[in-house]
Amino acid sequence: MYRLIERLYPICRSLTGNGVRQTLKILQEHIPLTVHEVPSHTPVFDWTVPKEWNIRDAYIKNSTGEKIVDFQKCNLYVLGYSVPIRKKISLAELKAHAFTLPERPEWVPYRTSYYKENWGFCLSHNQLSALPDDQYEVFIDASLQDGQLSYGEYSLKGQTDAEVLISTHVCHPSLANDNLSGIALAVFLAEQLSARSLRYSYRFLFTPGTIGSITWLSLNEAKVSKIKHGLILACVGDEGKVTYKKSRRGDAEIDRAVVQALKDSADPYDVIDFSPYGYDERQFCSPGFNLPVGCFMRTPHGKFSQYHTSADNLQLVKPEFLGDSLDKCLSIIDVLEGNAIYVNQNPKCEPQLGKRGLYGSIGGQTERKNYELAMLWVLSFSDKNYSLLDIAEKSGLKFEAIKSAAEALVERKLLRESAPRYRHRRHNRETLR
Ligand code: ZN
């Protein structure tokens, strides 16, 4: 994941343009995602797909011809979506088009002007403050023209059509945690899941923030009812503990599955309620959709000082934290995949577990005790009204313990799965026949 981030880091991405295409092309080396192109001006709910922005070069030169700001060295120097310009200007005029971060004077801020045509440069506050009165040449070789909005989509078919949505934004230039970390995590999650036998189908979206998810929802409204659970991935590579932002519903199965998996990990974590501010959960959870989609993060956007600055770089994200985020997402998926309702086949009094070899079958005293407890909990509550996740929550035991107890009981015919919640896909049933 870290190596992928290193490779994607120099590319100048934006809402639209070749940087996003180049990024998606690199992701195709890992997963066979489809790249969709949606023409500028396409109406998508209350919005329209913007013009396509591409940038080739930009700089500021002083009167001796020296480049004091060079886009080739750092793409954050240019205000995102800047219109082209070539002009000689005074220091005062330059300052009117310059963005700095006085409270972090050594960092370059990340700024965009997507919906109002403008041009500008982002500099460190120290650099701008030190500029002498001079005549400066500003040059931005960019184009803002009718074109396309590009996004990536990868569908992984499971046994049922019921879907888990994993979505991440791909519109930020050289910023590592927000959100190359989310892109890398989604890609590796997809790679890992593609090697597994899955109950759910999985849909991975790599879209520009806000307008991308609005566009997808607008063009795919008919598919939305298949989405049973969803996660937005953002800022997942920093050293902070995992923070989960609940879906707008607040008590959806995904919300409970994430809390269960994080609790089972025994690492510190935070759970926060939904708010209509943040990433693409805002669109998926908007009242007209109200999908069960939460947001998986480490330190939330705006809560780390490097957020949206040049300091959100390759030093901020670390392989170990990316790995931890991947492990935790996989354990969330284990809960979703494993959660089912079972029925006790011997419901009149407790079955005798000893004669079926179910006592003392695994080593380690605590482990054995929890395993036996898990069997008792599963037998006691498997009356069609409680799922394994319900039972894990009630018992305080790890989901994994509850799940493996259920598997052992199924094997001994003491338990059977209640009617599956989602029907198997048609061609699978035919294959089985
Ligand atoms: Zn951001």
Side-chain angles (χ1 to χ4, degrees), residues 32-285:
L33 61 79
T34 307
V35 177
H36 299 270
E37 302 275 0
V38 184
S40 306
H41 313 295
T42 303
V44 287
F45 297 120
D46 199 39
W47 299 60
T48 40
V49 172
K51 290 180 185 173
E52 180 177 325
W53 185 66
N54 283 293
I55 180 162
R56 288 158 292 274
D57 196 15
Y59 56 75
I60 304 174
K61 279 183 182 171
N62 63 19
S63 57
T64 65
E66 183 200 350
K67 272 187 198 175
I68 56 162
V69 164
D70 185 355
F71 169 79
Q72 303 302 342
K73 291 191 177 145
C74 171
N75 56 40
L76 296 176
Y77 282 139
V78 175
L79 176 75
Y81 258 64
S82 277
V83 294
I85 184 121
R86 173 164 234 159
K87 201 176 173 189
K88 291 201 167 144
I89 58 174
S90 66
L91 179 61
E93 197 182 342
L94 175 59
K95 282 187 171 171
H97 285 272
F99 300 86
T100 68
L101 211 57
E103 61 276 24
R104 291 285 181 175
E106 70 280 26
W107 295 350
V108 177
Y110 162 55
R111 293 279 186 278
T112 60
S113 185
Y114 293 139
Y115 299 103
K116 182 172 169 262
E117 287 196 4
N118 194 5
W119 64 268
F121 285 89
C122 303
L123 290 79
S124 77
H125 195 70
N126 287 344
Q127 187 182 10
L128 186 69
S129 315
L131 287 182
D133 208 9
D134 195 358
Q135 195 180 54
Y136 293 94
E137 183 191 345
V138 289
F139 173 61
I140 299 177
D141 179 15
S143 59
L144 185 59
Q145 293 163 338
D146 288 355
Q148 326 280 328
L149 174 149
S150 322
Y151 70 87
E153 185 167 25
Y154 174 50
S155 274
L156 198 53
K157 292 290 172 210
Q159 291 150 13
T160 67
D161 283 327
E163 282 185 9
V164 179
L165 173 78
I166 307 286
S167 179
T168 196
H169 59 283
V170 294
C171 51
H172 287 26
S174 292
L175 298 168
N177 202 32
D178 177 23
N179 192 37
L180 293 176
S181 68
I183 298 173
L185 177 57
V187 167
F188 277 71
L189 202 52
E191 255 186 340
Q192 296 248 338
L193 293 181
S194 65
R196 293 190 182 187
S197 159
L198 298 162
R199 186 179 288 227
Y200 287 104
S201 293
Y202 287 76
R203 185 182 298 277
F204 290 84
L205 293 179
F206 300 86
T207 60
T210 308
I211 189 68
S213 53
I214 293 173
T215 300
W216 187 86
L217 282 162
S218 168
L219 301 178
N220 294 278
E221 215 173 333
K223 294 180 186 164
V224 160
S225 64
K226 290 184 189 168
I227 298 171
K228 307 302 175 195
H229 319 285
L231 284 178
I232 307 295
L233 304 179
C235 306
V236 293
D238 65 279
E239 64 177 359
K241 62 186 167 191
V242 167
T243 300
Y244 174 67
K245 176 181 167 183
K246 289 183 185 177
S247 74
R248 181 174 169 278
R249 297 185 189 181
D251 60 352
E253 190 174 334
I254 183 67
D255 301 322
R256 295 171 50 213
V258 174
V259 170
Q260 182 71 38
L262 294 178
K263 187 162 77 70
D264 290 353
S265 78
D267 293 335
Y269 64 91
D270 258 341
V271 176
I272 55 177
D273 282 332
F274 178 82
S275 58
Y277 183 73
Y279 295 107
D280 288 320
E281 68 279 5
R282 284 153 41 205
Q283 315 312 328
F284 294 108
C285 295

Side-chain angles (χ1 to χ4, degrees), residues 234-389:
C235 306
V236 293
D238 65 279
E239 64 177 359
K241 62 186 167 191
V242 167
T243 300
Y244 174 67
K245 176 181 167 183
K246 289 183 185 177
S247 74
R248 181 174 169 278
R249 297 185 189 181
D251 60 352
E253 190 174 334
I254 183 67
D255 301 322
R256 295 171 50 213
V258 174
V259 170
Q260 182 71 38
L262 294 178
K263 187 162 77 70
D264 290 353
S265 78
D267 293 335
Y269 64 91
D270 258 341
V271 176
I272 55 177
D273 282 332
F274 178 82
S275 58
Y277 183 73
Y279 295 107
D280 288 320
E281 68 279 5
R282 284 153 41 205
Q283 315 312 328
F284 294 108
C285 295
S286 60
F289 291 107
N290 198 23
L291 292 173
V293 175
C295 182
F296 181 95
M297 306 169 268
R298 294 188 79 89
T299 307
H301 55 89
K303 295 278 166 72
F304 54 100
S305 56
Q306 301 92 337
Y307 171 73
H308 280 192
T309 76
S310 54
D312 180 356
N313 57 26
L314 293 169
Q315 281 73 53
L316 184 67
V317 299
K318 298 224 160 44
E320 64 195 282
F321 306 125
L322 293 163
D324 183 67
S325 295
L326 178 60
D327 287 345
K328 285 179 171 142
C329 285
L330 286 168
S331 57
I332 292 164
I333 285 166
D334 285 342
V335 176
L336 294 175
E337 287 281 330
N339 190 27
I341 297 175
Y342 290 86
V343 190
N344 185 339
Q345 300 299 289
N346 189 105
K348 291 182 178 163
C349 299
E350 290 181 350
Q352 206 183 331
L353 298 179
K355 73 176 182 193
R356 294 179 171 87
L358 286 167
Y359 269 137
S361 56
I362 54 165
Q365 208 169 350
T366 325
E367 216 183 322
R368 184 159 67 228
K369 190 166 163 268
N370 281 341
Y371 180 66
E372 288 165 7
L373 266 177
M375 282 192 292
L376 297 178
W377 276 98
V378 170
L379 287 167
S380 179
F381 281 93
S382 290
D383 63 355
K384 281 194 182 174
N385 292 312
Y386 299 94
S387 69
L388 293 187
L389 180 54

